[in-house]
Amino acid sequence: MILMKDVYKTYANGVTALNGISIDIKQGEFVYVVGPSGAGKSTFIKLIYREEKPTDGTILINNKDLATLKEKKVPYLRREIGVVFQDFKLLPKLSVYENIAFALEVIGESPQKIRTRVMDVLELVGLKNKARFIPDELSGGEQQRVSIARAIVNRPKIVIADEPTGNLDPETSWEIMKTFEQINAQGTTLIMATHSREIVNSMKKRVIAIEDGLVVRDEYRGEYGYEI
Ligand code: ADP
Ligand code: ADP
């Protein structure tokens, strides 16, 4: 599903963010990515949805080698991967419905199918009654639910989330985590970078720890392992 072999990433400014990473993530896994700030977690995640390209090494996503993937095929890869960000990245002038429908409109789905799909994901995240609201009219937790709905509306095989609860209070974070668990329970591979020790320690999932651009720990039923 996601295979990295000896992956390096050095940015244009000379900073080496990843220093030889090899991992294998199978379909349906739930993986936490932990580590100090600046360790390389976001870079690791950006490589998976090809927001960044590796300097060296091999990355296979669903058996497709990203190195030889033609630019015009990148949108197809992105459809297999839903992304959730810490700061939601919703389009502020569009309604909740439109923010989610957008992902389907760009791939030319029929209006009927769009309507059914959008209402289905809104139901899943518990926001059916707020379809006409704009992001500013929602709480942070609700905005994150919208961004989760947007990420899954294409039914991607992989959902990746970069500190999705970073801007949310603990109670709201737990609600969001329950939604992610539900999505994973339906067979979607879930990869999440997080600084939340409480969440990682209570969920007992696979934990990959990255420090200074290297995988220093990779455990099933793992723990957060840091004091802060
Ligand atoms: P984390 O998500 O663990 O905080 P990042 O992957 O964001 O780590 O960053 C790893 C290192 O790469 C840091 O030193 C960071 O400053 C650097 N870095 C991240 N993005 C860029 C970029 N676009 N250009 C240059 N350096 C970057
Ligand atoms: P930007 O990088 O300036 O946010 P993009 O064109 O990359 O613009 O993305 C447009 C919108 O779609 C943004 O809100 C972004 O967060 C979201 N987005 C991009 N890629 C994905 C993806 N694979 N899954 C879900 N949302 C995505």
Side-chain angles (χ1 to χ4, degrees):
M1 158 110 304
I2 299 169
L3 194 74
M4 290 195 189
K5 189 147 175 15
D6 303 326
V7 168
Y8 292 78
K9 175 65 186 181
T10 300
Y11 284 106
N13 63 357
V15 173
T16 294
L18 295 179
N19 213 351
I21 293 234
S22 298
I23 51 108
D24 183 358
I25 296 171
K26 305 268 193 267
Q27 175 73 44
E29 281 198 70
F30 195 129
V31 182
Y32 287 111
V33 181
V34 304
S37 287
K41 302 181 296 298
S42 292
T43 302
F44 172 77
I45 275 177
K46 285 176 180 166
L47 289 174
I48 297 172
Y49 66 99
R50 211 172 184 269
E51 176 74 14
E52 295 287 349
K53 291 181 189 175
T55 315
D56 199 4
T58 307
I59 304 176
L60 300 184
I61 308 287
N62 295 332
N63 295 317
K64 284 188 277 287
D65 189 336
L66 295 197
T68 54
L69 189 75
K70 300 239 173 17
E71 275 317 311
K72 64 173 195 271
K73 297 274 187 189
V74 170
Y76 295 94
L77 170 81
R78 294 263 171 88
R79 271 173 230 171
E80 295 175 18
I81 305 175
V83 188
V84 176
F85 302 93
Q86 180 173 3
D87 58 356
F88 322 134
K89 296 198 194 296
L90 299 173
L91 298 166
K93 295 201 171 100
L94 298 187
S95 71
V96 164
Y97 183 94
E98 290 161 342
N99 262 284
I100 302 166
F102 187 70
L104 296 172
E105 281 160 3
V106 294
I107 62 172
E109 291 287 4
S110 71
Q112 295 89 324
K113 190 163 184 182
I114 291 175
R115 177 149 191 92
T116 321
R117 286 272 194 99
V118 173
M119 292 322 279
D120 280 354
V121 289
L122 278 175
E123 170 122 59
L124 180 84
V125 300
L127 283 175
K128 227 172 169 176
N129 57 343
K130 301 212 165 155
R132 290 174 189 278
F133 286 46
I134 59 164
D136 267 355
E137 297 170 326
L138 303 177
S139 70
E142 288 171 332
Q143 291 186 52
Q144 192 56 296
R145 288 177 183 286
V146 176
S147 94
I148 293 170
R150 178 186 62 192
I152 61 172
V153 74
N154 274 329
R155 303 192 176 155
K157 296 193 184 79
I158 303 167
V159 168
I160 52 188
D162 197 350
E163 295 202 41
T165 62
N167 288 342
L168 306 175
D169 61 67
E171 199 180 322
T172 309
S173 299
W174 281 111
E175 297 292 317
I176 293 291
M177 290 313 302
K178 273 187 228 155
T179 306
F180 279 122
E181 275 214 305
Q182 246 180 306
I183 294 165
N184 174 246
Q186 293 171 355
T188 309
T189 307
L190 232 143
I191 300 165
M192 181 181 303
T194 184
H195 283 289
S196 173
R197 179 153 56 121
E198 292 71 28
I199 287 173
V200 174
N201 287 350
S202 73
M203 304 277 269
K204 296 278 182 286
K205 306 285 190 190
R206 182 174 176 186
V207 175
I208 294 176
I210 298 180
E211 288 178 28
D212 291 331
L214 288 168
V215 172
V216 294
R217 186 154 54 89
D218 182 358
E219 294 169 345
Y220 288 88
R221 299 183 62 77
E223 300 257 329
Y224 183 69
Y226 297 98
E227 287 308 311
I228 45 141

